[in-house]
Structures are given as C-alpha cells and as structure tokens.
Amino acid sequence: MVLAIMYLISWKKKNISVKMLVKAVIAQFLIAVILVKVPAGRYVVSKVSDAVTSVINCGQDGLSFVFGSLADSTAAAGSVFAIQVLGNIVFLSALVSFLYYIGILGFVVKWIGKAVGKLMGTSEVESFVAVANMFLGQTDSPMPVGSIMVAKMLLPQTEEVREAGSVKMDNKGNNTNVIEAVAEGAVTGMQMALSIGTSPVAMVALVAAVNKLLGVCGISLQQVFSYVFAPFGFFLGLDPSEILLEGNLLGSKLVLNEFVAFQQLGGMISSMDYRTGMIFAISLCGFANFSSLGICVSGIAVLCPEKKSTLARLVFKAMLGGVAASLISAMTVGLVTLC
C-alpha cells in the first residue's frame, strides 16, 4: 500500500527502477531477519540499544545540574517536555560534534555509505549523505527526509550519475579544537531544541482550538486521525484493537512531531507485547512532520539560497516519503516477527 502511494505521487513514474526497488526490499527484509530473528543479531541490537540508552542517560546529569528536580520525571513536577526531552538534544548535539571532530562518526558514515552505494547502485555522494542523515538530522545533512528507495520512487534519477571523486568530510570545520567543537554543537543543539519546541506550542494549541469546534459534533481531531491513518495500522499487521491507536499516534507525529508521539507511546508501551511495541516505535521514527517543513527549507536554504524555491517544491513530498520510509520499515519488521 505504501509503495503504491509513493508510485501514485511520483514525479516520473516511468523512470522508476524496478530492479532498485526489488534489491532494496530484499535487502531490508534480510536485515530485519538478521536483527530480529537471528539470536546473534538480536544480541547485537540489544547491546547497541543498551549502550545508546546509557549514553543518552548521561545527559540527565547535565539537566539535573542546571534544572534540579525539574529534570527528574519522577519528582513532584512530573514530566516536563521542554527540559527532559528537548534539553537532551543539547547534549546529543554536542556529543555528535565531538565524535565528528575526532573522526569516529565520519569514519562510520563513510564506510556504511560505501556499502549502501554498492548495494543500491547510488553515487558515493548520494549514499554518503543518506547515511550521514541518520546521525546528523534534517538540516545538518542536506537531503530530503526518507530512505533512498522512497526517494528514488518519488523523484527517479534520469541524468547520468557523475561522481565528484572520493567523498571527504571536513571533520574539524571552523573549530580550532575539540572544546570549540563541543561548544558549537551545544549551541546548535539549543537552536534545534528551540525550533522543535516552538512548534508543539502552536500546534497543540491549534489542535485544542479545532477540537473545540469539532466538539460541537461530538468528535475530536485525534478521533479523525485515528480513522484516517487506521488503514496503515491494518497493513502493519496490528491487532484490530490497536489499529485506531496507531492511527492516532501517526497523526500526532505528522501534525505535531515525533517527540510528542513518542512521549504518548512511552506511557503505554509497557502494556504492549514485544512485537506490537516494536512496530509502534519503528513506525514513529524519523522527523517527517509538518513542523519540519519550515525547518528543512530554512535550514538547507542557508547553505544554498538559490535552491530555496526548489526545496519548497520538494519538501511536502519529501515529508510523505519520510513517513513512508518509517512505515515500510515497520511493516517489514511486522512481517518478519510473524514467522
């Protein structure tokens, strides 16, 4: 269903490479099998997940130092989104800057990018940016949201691929030392947190206003989303009792952002079985939402102002592509876990 929708909204349907699609689907399925069904793969995923969680939790120390009990979700103040969620972005951005400066993340991105390029038949530059996007985010790594497969469906390449030589990353940028790199990363993280945080303030308020109007008819926007996105829950292989909930969360992610959606999911995932929780979490991954459209256009246009109109033309379908990429991954895992 998702691939069919991507085909329908593609700019150049006749140029879509069936060979590339088949290779991508098979590769994604095999990776899912290895990481979900094979014991060694599950062990690696578990250890990586534990390591990432441990690193992210380090940000809690910084938040507690600055904000005290407000950084503790178990304290009297409860969960404070602006501090406990957005505040950690500052730490993660600084960490990414540190890892790039010392060359670790650049090395990982380069070699994973080469592997992706060999598999998908994409150029080195294209593959490099696609992989960098996983680590950097939508404005730090200039590429429309979404996987290579979805991107190649939405806007198939018709020009001859011309390599620009070996891709090299300037790890240090304008930073004179690692301290400056970390400081710049922290400032960038704060800017990102402010950009991300301002959207929910406006959007949640607008949703509340719309709900006031819809309340006259005895419905809410959340209920509307539940039914609009319910078909995706069905194709994800969810239990009928969970389809509307998935639709609601997908709607929250699209209209608000993934942080709000994950916060909602966090309050209920403990009551879900392993397969259901995994499908829900994967389907909500990524930053494809309405609030990202402006961030994406304005952030990338700074690097290439003359392409701003092109970005504005592409960005909406890019957002849909991002949603599709997450759903395809969730569907793949759902199929694998049925076996």
Side-chain angles (χ1 to χ4, degrees), residues 5-13 144-147 150-151 153-156 254 288 290 293 310-325:
I5 294 174
M6 293 299 99
Y7 175 80
L8 290 175
I9 65 175
S10 172
W11 271 289
K12 301 176 181 178
K13 297 180 178 63
V145 180
S147 69
V150 174
M153 287 192 70
L154 289 174
L155 189 58
L254 186 64
F290 288 120
L293 300 184
T310 302
L311 289 169
R313 181 171 58 88
L314 295 174
V315 72
F316 183 75
K317 284 191 178 181
M319 180 194 70
L320 297 180
V323 174

Side-chain angles (χ1 to χ4, degrees), residues 52-62 88 91:
V52 171
T53 300
S54 178
V55 171
I56 291 176
N57 287 339
C58 291
Q60 187 67 30
D61 292 337
N88 229 6
F91 163 65

Side-chain angles (χ1 to χ4, degrees), residues 7 17 29 50 53 56 61 85 117 131 164 182 192 215 218 224 239 268 281 313 318 326:
Y7 175 80
S17 172
F29 186 80
D50 291 343
T53 300
I56 291 176
D61 292 337
V85 177
V131 175
V182 171
M192 290 172 59
V224 173
D239 186 89
M268 60 186 79
R313 181 171 58 88
S326 298

Side-chain angles (χ1 to χ4, degrees), residues 37-327:
K37 301 295 289 185
V38 177
R42 293 184 64 173
Y43 176 81
V44 171
V45 171
S46 176
K47 291 301 179 182
V48 170
S49 176
D50 291 343
V52 171
T53 300
S54 178
V55 171
I56 291 176
N57 287 339
C58 291
Q60 187 67 30
D61 292 337
L63 293 175
S64 297
F65 177 78
V66 176
F67 298 105
S69 61
L70 290 177
D72 184 3
S73 60
T74 62
S79 178
V80 183
F81 180 81
I83 295 175
Q84 296 161 15
V85 177
L86 298 181
N88 229 6
I89 295 176
V90 177
F91 163 65
L92 293 176
S93 180
L95 178 63
V96 168
S97 294
F98 171 75
L99 293 176
Y100 257 104
Y101 187 88
I102 63 177
I104 293 178
L105 214 50
F107 176 83
V108 173
V109 167
K110 178 179 179 179
W111 289 103
I112 295 180
K114 283 182 177 292
V116 170
K118 293 291 185 182
L119 175 66
M120 300 294 293
T122 50
S123 68
E124 187 175 345
V125 173
E126 190 175 18
S127 304
F128 175 85
V129 175
V131 175
N133 195 57
M134 296 189 301
F135 298 97
L136 291 174
Q138 66 196 74
T139 55
D140 295 310
S141 179
M143 181 178 179
V145 180
S147 69
I148 291 178
M149 177 176 67
V150 174
K152 290 293 188 182
M153 287 192 70
L154 289 174
L155 189 58
Q157 183 169 336
T158 56
E159 304 85 358
E160 181 182 353
V161 176
R162 291 185 295 177
E163 291 289 0
S166 180
V167 179
K168 295 182 179 179
M169 174 175 284
D170 182 7
N171 294 329
K172 295 178 171 52
N174 296 321
N175 301 308
T176 55
N177 54 48
V178 69
I179 301 299
E180 185 178 356
V182 171
E184 183 179 343
V187 172
T188 301
M190 177 58 70
Q191 293 171 342
M192 290 172 59
L194 289 174
S195 297
I196 293 170
T198 52
S199 177
V201 172
M203 297 304 293
V204 170
L206 286 173
V207 168
V210 172
N211 281 339
K212 287 283 187 182
L213 296 175
L214 294 177
V216 177
C217 303
I219 59 174
S220 68
L221 197 58
Q222 285 81 356
Q223 290 174 313
V224 173
F225 286 146
S226 296
Y227 288 100
V228 170
F229 292 99
F232 294 108
F234 173 78
F235 284 103
L236 286 171
L238 294 171
D239 186 89
S241 63
E242 297 163 335
I243 288 177
L244 292 180
L245 176 59
E246 170 68 3
N248 190 354
L249 290 175
L250 286 174
S252 293
K253 178 202 170 184
L254 186 64
V255 175
L256 302 174
N257 61 41
E258 68 278 7
F259 293 98
V260 175
F262 269 114
Q263 191 174 47
Q264 294 172 344
L265 176 62
M268 60 186 79
I269 197 169
S270 60
S271 62
M272 299 177 179
D273 59 63
Y274 175 75
R275 177 177 179 272
T276 301
M278 191 159 48
I279 291 175
F280 268 74
I282 294 173
S283 68
L284 298 179
C285 287
F287 32 72
N289 52 68
F290 288 120
S291 60
S292 291
L293 300 184
I295 298 172
C296 191
V297 173
S298 59
I300 300 176
V302 172
L303 303 176
C304 197
E306 68 275 12
K307 295 293 184 180
K308 187 173 183 178
S309 60
T310 302
L311 289 169
R313 181 171 58 88
L314 295 174
V315 72
F316 183 75
K317 284 191 178 181
M319 180 194 70
L320 297 180
V323 174
S326 298
L327 290 175

